[in-house]
Amino acid sequence: MHHVLKRRGIFGCFPVTSFTLTSFTKPTIFISIVNRRRRHLSTMASRTYNDAIDTLNTLQTPFAVIEARRKAGIRPDANSVQEMKGYLARIGYSTSSDLEKLNIVHVAGTKGKGSTCAFVDCILSKWHQTKGVPKKVGLFTSPHLIAVRERIRIDSRPISEEMFAKYFFEVWDRLEGNSTVATDLVEPGTKPIYARYLTLMSYHVYLSEGVDVAIYETGIGGEYDATNVVERPVTSGISTLGIDHVYVLGDTVDKIAWHKAGILKKGSPGFTIDQVGSAAEVLKKRAEEKGVDLKVLGIDERLKGVKVRPDANFQKKNATLAIALAETALNKLDPNFKRDEKALPKEFVDGIEQVVWRGRCEVKEEDNIIWHVDGAHTVDSLKMAARWFVEETKTEGKGPKVLIFNQQGRSEAVDFLDGLCNTVKNADPAGQGFQHVIFCTNVTYATTGYKRDFVNHQYNPADIEKMTQQRIFAERWASLDPSAKILVISSIEEAINTARGLANCEGKDGSKVQALITGSLHLVGGALGILEKADAL
């Protein structure tokens, strides 16, 4: 594969200077136009997948509204769950009798909750293949990497575009037709916002398609999360806790633990792994208040000899939690299931070893460059991503190291960079960190802007156009490593092409450029879409 970099009329190799800028124009969004488009799209004759995504995007909360709420101190509260119950009633479902049919496995946490869900999904799918139980496995996660439909999976595959469009508009029509139902819980004529709509839609999909076990990853927190409408999950699990989404959840691990523990329900077994002391105490207290026997798990000894990828304790903890959740689900679903205290069943081993969870610890190779792709959105997860990158590159030659990073709309993300920078520098015998550092926005393409599934109205468009956050990142990195050549670039596509251009320039001696793409999953998803030319993962 040969990639030629075209930039400012220069082809091939070019001198890299600090803070070289490119630009793009993002159209201004007028709420009145959005509302008219929403009405048009929801009634048009051809209800395609693209129509569904365009309509879904009108349910995003605009940045101006988010900022006004932030300044007013408005945060999600118990009303959020009550509204979800109202919307469920409007599309014809009950939180008890209907959702209970799904045998929900509910997972919260700061780090590893997505991986844990993927492990559970793969284990149960392997069990189905050999035992015929469960009949169908649902997996609901967020965010998506390339296509919105990735959030709603059946038997480990994203639902098709046709299925997504069908059920999207069925939910839309039911909400329109029953706009005055459950007015004690939700405003007449309203619809849930973007993430809540997808949660609502997932229940409709799974109940309509005969799914008999569904794994649900919380979005943000737990107590007030849209997924917490379920009253009797089969089991609940809490992965590693840390600092994230501080405005919504609080600025200490204790406060965050309180929210995450909201998914624990009386009568449903609860599991977690070792947590930092204060968080562990909060989880224990909340479990006692709820009448839940919360089991704290050490790394499962039956994982010895199992190829967990990456081979690190954090992933073994995720696998341990997944094993406990899968065993609990099978205790209910399969009358012939019996837990083996000494060894994991083959289906569990296969599920752990063969799991595919895209955008996490992935390696992709081109002619002169090796891409390392790992979504990481907290201080701790970025340090782990850096350590993984260091281990991977030990055996891949001594080519230049390139970083592509973004974390949009989170001012605290600038403080994430220290650990990322220092971990790589300290691991090098000569103290050499990333030679080239690229900060880009989450805009997908240089000329056409966002892919439809990536449109996001929740960030300040002016900040994106001016690359405000990326400049802040660049300034911090320059202070951490003055020797690094830093670029600020306006799109993911240009960032990737820049790295490829560097590989063509600097990889002529046979060594390959080692590139790490990390930070926001929106960045990681956009990058994978470009690297693979894929429509969904």
Side-chain angles (χ1 to χ4, degrees):
M1 184 185 296
H2 180 64
H3 300 282
V4 178
L5 179 67
K6 179 180 179 182
R7 186 181 176 117
R8 295 185 174 181
I10 301 174
F11 292 82
C13 299
F14 60 94
V16 179
T17 56
S18 297
F19 301 93
T20 302
L21 305 181
T22 57
S23 63
F24 72 100
T25 303
K26 178 177 171 58
T28 304
I29 298 164
F30 295 97
I31 294 176
S32 60
I33 294 176
V34 168
N35 287 338
R36 286 200 301 272
R37 184 165 178 77
R38 181 186 299 177
R39 289 192 294 271
H40 168 68
L41 286 167
S42 64
T43 56
M44 65 193 308
S46 74
R47 290 181 157 192
T48 65
Y49 177 74
N50 286 344
D51 296 331
I53 298 304
D54 286 341
T55 307
L56 175 66
N57 285 336
T58 69
L59 298 177
Q60 293 186 34
T61 306
F63 170 77
V65 175
I66 292 174
E67 274 299 286
R69 289 176 178 172
R70 188 186 301 272
K71 290 176 181 177
I74 299 172
R75 295 173 174 82
D77 56 23
N79 289 329
S80 302
V81 176
Q82 290 304 309
E83 286 177 359
M84 280 298 292
K85 290 180 179 179
Y87 288 127
L88 268 171
R90 284 186 185 172
I91 65 171
Y93 296 121
S94 159
T95 56
S96 54
S97 60
D98 289 308
L99 296 194
E100 198 167 341
K101 297 173 186 175
L102 295 179
N103 294 304
I104 289 173
V105 176
H106 206 184
V107 183
T110 307
K111 296 171 297 223
K113 59 187 172 124
S115 297
T116 299
C117 289
F119 277 132
V120 177
D121 174 66
C122 199
I123 289 169
L124 294 179
S125 293
K126 297 296 181 184
W127 199 266
H128 161 79
Q129 289 171 16
T130 60
K131 313 290 185 183
V133 178
K135 295 176 182 176
K136 288 186 179 180
V137 181
L139 174 63
F140 180 77
T141 60
S142 62
H144 56 276
L145 289 177
I146 294 181
V148 175
R149 60 192 178 91
E150 295 164 6
R151 297 183 183 219
I152 305 174
R153 296 174 183 262
I154 296 177
D155 294 337
S156 302
R157 292 184 295 274
I159 61 174
S160 67
E161 291 187 354
E162 293 76 17
M163 184 182 290
F164 186 97
K166 173 180 183 289
Y167 287 121
F168 178 92
F169 285 112
E170 282 185 7
V171 169
W172 189 278
D173 290 343
R174 290 188 187 190
L175 291 172
E176 294 266 301
N178 300 311
S179 61
T180 58
V181 172
T183 52
D184 57 323
L185 298 175
V186 63
E187 290 283 335
T190 59
K191 292 184 178 67
I193 59 175
Y194 187 100
R196 294 181 192 175
Y197 192 99
L198 290 171
T199 306
L200 189 70
M201 176 182 159
S202 73
Y203 295 131
H204 180 49
V205 171
Y206 293 152
L207 288 166
S208 300
E209 291 293 319
V211 166
D212 55 346
V213 62
I215 304 108
Y216 271 78
E217 176 192 16
T218 58
I220 297 177
E223 179 72 29
Y224 305 135
D225 188 71
T227 62
N228 207 29
V229 70
V230 58
E231 295 177 355
R232 286 188 292 272
V234 168
T235 181
S236 301
I238 300 172
S239 66
T240 301
L241 299 179
I243 302 295
D244 196 18
H245 300 294
V246 293
Y247 174 75
V248 176
L249 305 179
D251 56 1
T252 68
V253 176
D254 301 29
K255 293 175 182 177
I256 290 169
W258 185 92
H259 280 276
K260 305 292 185 182
I263 69 168
L264 300 174
K265 303 290 169 58
K266 187 174 183 178
S268 298
F271 299 93
T272 189
I273 42 84
D274 289 328
Q275 308 283 358
V276 295
S278 55
E281 284 301 313
V282 173
L283 293 183
K284 180 181 177 182
K285 183 177 179 181
R286 287 273 275 159
E288 290 172 350
E289 292 171 352
K290 290 171 170 286
V292 174
D293 179 20
L294 179 65
K295 291 184 172 62
V296 181
L297 307 169
I299 292 177
D300 197 315
E301 293 184 357
R302 296 173 295 172
L303 283 171
K304 290 178 180 178
V306 178
K307 296 175 183 176
V308 180
R309 294 172 292 112
D311 184 16
N313 277 346
F314 77 86
Q315 193 72 317
K316 291 176 182 177
K317 289 180 179 180
N318 296 333
T320 293
L321 181 57
I323 290 166
L325 296 172
E327 287 178 335
T328 306
L330 288 174
N331 273 332
K332 179 178 180 182
L333 294 165
D334 186 352
N336 297 317
F337 175 77
K338 291 183 180 179
R339 186 179 190 272
D340 188 332
E341 299 286 344
K342 296 182 179 180
L344 291 172
K346 184 179 185 302
E347 293 84 359
F348 279 61
V349 174
D350 289 347
I352 292 165
E353 292 187 342
Q354 297 173 25
V355 68
V356 175
W357 191 229
R358 300 301 308 272
R360 282 77 169 181
C361 300
E362 287 198 53
V363 179
K364 307 182 74 61
E365 190 165 348
E366 294 182 4
D367 288 345
N368 297 321
I369 188 167
I370 300 177
W371 301 100
H372 303 79
V373 185
D374 190 22
H377 59 281
T378 69
V379 172
D380 293 335
S381 58
L382 274 169
K383 288 179 182 177
M384 286 190 286
R387 286 195 289 268
W388 168 72
F389 175 74
V390 166
E391 287 299 314
E392 287 291 323
T393 54
K394 278 182 180 179
T395 58
E396 291 173 358
K398 299 296 182 182
K401 296 188 283 286
V402 177
L403 171 68
I404 299 177
F405 177 87
N406 190 40
Q407 187 71 64
Q408 197 69 42
R410 296 176 60 189
S411 57
E412 73 273 17
V414 70
D415 297 323
F416 299 174
L417 299 179
D418 299 47
L420 175 59
C421 178
N422 294 331
T423 299
V424 175
K425 283 178 64 178
N426 294 340
D428 189 272
Q432 177 67 65
F434 290 99
Q435 286 96 328
H436 303 280
V437 178
I438 301 169
F439 297 109
C440 66
T441 71
N442 287 340
V443 174
T444 321
Y445 302 111
T447 56
T448 57
Y450 290 101
K451 180 179 183 288
R452 173 179 268 107
D453 296 68
F454 291 151
V455 169
N456 195 324
H457 302 323
Q458 298 183 58
Y459 301 135
N460 188 345
D463 284 347
I464 296 173
E465 183 172 358
K466 296 174 183 176
M467 294 182 281
T468 304
Q469 188 69 50
Q470 289 68 39
R471 293 174 186 273
I472 293 171
F473 291 151
E475 290 174 4
R476 171 62 70 86
W477 199 279
S479 69
L480 294 170
D481 187 358
S483 68
K485 297 174 182 176
I486 304 170
L487 290 167
V488 173
I489 292 179
S490 63
S491 72
I492 299 170
E493 181 182 37
E494 288 175 289
I496 287 173
N497 284 339
T498 299
R500 284 169 169 164
L502 291 168
N504 290 335
C505 294
E506 302 188 19
K508 292 181 179 179
D509 60 353
S511 64
K512 294 194 175 189
V513 165
Q514 308 293 329
L516 173 63
I517 302 175
T518 190
S520 163
L521 284 173
H522 299 290
L523 164 66
V524 165
L528 286 172
I530 291 166
L531 291 173
E532 298 183 11
K533 298 180 175 61
D535 291 327
L537 295 177

